Amino acid sequence: MSRAFVKEADEDSAAAELPERPLSDHPNYVSPHGLELLQERLKELQESRERLKAADDPMAKQKLLEVKRDIRYFQAQLERAQVVDPAGQPHHEVHFGATVTIVDEDGKRYVFHIVGDDEADVASHRISWASPLAKAMLGASVGDTVKWQRPAGVAEVEIVAIQYDAGAATRGA
């Protein structure tokens, strides 16, 4: 049945059809910048909710359900957030907040920033600390070779540099 023929009173059943955004089982580590991003996103969603509440449009009602779901997700992420200051990490090993330069088996060089789940963006070379590559690198030092499981099979990479530049996380570099 088309949503156009569903009564507004059925909003509760429509909300039941909208799946919740999944929360991971692992801790929600965030950088100080990541915490700010979560807070900003929640504020934007709350403002959007107020605008959508005032709208008298069936599409706005559906969008409102999505916004309410996203508010619940970001509130939960903020409640679970554990801020990790990269400056406090041991700089000779890979940990949360590190900028890691690796060389793969073909000699190609890559740089990744290890960040929280909500900050991760592979296109920007920011990977979650819980990703397979980051997990393989955690605790490693410069010169170490680590193996990580990827969809195409096991790969080896060598850690060639580790930096803890608080500005990198802030800039999103």
Side-chain angles (χ1 to χ4, degrees):
M1 175 185 338
S2 169
R3 297 285 308 154
F5 297 106
V6 176
K7 294 180 184 175
E8 287 182 32
D10 290 339
E11 183 176 310
D12 291 336
S13 64
E17 295 172 18
L18 188 63
E20 289 295 319
R21 290 182 64 170
L23 294 171
S24 66
D25 293 333
H26 56 262
N28 186 28
Y29 296 131
V30 297
S31 67
H33 180 67
L35 181 64
E36 290 174 15
L37 292 174
L38 285 172
Q39 292 167 335
E40 287 172 15
R41 183 66 181 131
L42 179 59
K43 183 179 177 191
E44 290 168 3
L45 287 165
Q46 290 169 333
E47 290 169 357
S48 180
R49 177 185 59 195
E50 295 309 311
R51 284 191 304 274
L52 290 167
K53 278 182 175 180
D56 187 27
D57 170 13
M59 294 301 289
K61 302 266 185 230
Q62 178 61 32
K63 182 68 177 163
L64 180 60
L65 294 175
E66 294 171 17
V67 167
K68 286 180 178 180
R69 178 206 50 201
D70 290 349
I71 286 172
R72 289 189 299 274
Y73 170 81
F74 282 98
Q75 284 174 330
Q77 286 295 80
L78 280 164
E79 289 170 9
R80 299 175 56 239
Q82 296 179 36
V83 179
V84 178
D85 184 359
Q89 300 289 28
H91 291 191
H92 66 283
E93 292 180 341
V94 177
H95 291 282
F96 184 93
T99 299
V100 185
T101 304
I102 60 174
V103 175
D104 70 10
E105 296 159 327
D106 297 327
K108 292 183 182 173
R109 183 178 286 257
Y110 300 92
V111 177
F112 292 102
H113 306 288
I114 299 178
V115 297
D117 288 343
D118 292 312
E119 297 173 82
D121 177 9
V122 175
S124 298
H125 302 275
R126 293 189 314 261
I127 60 173
S128 168
W129 71 272
S131 70
L133 176 57
K135 281 185 173 183
M137 293 189 296
L138 291 176
S141 299
V142 171
D144 288 351
T145 299
V146 299
K147 294 181 181 183
W148 65 290
Q149 181 64 46
R150 57 187 182 157
V154 176
E156 285 188 4
V157 296
E158 180 185 354
I159 310 291
V160 296
I162 303 168
Q163 289 183 288
Y164 285 90
D165 176 16
T170 304
R171 290 187 306 270

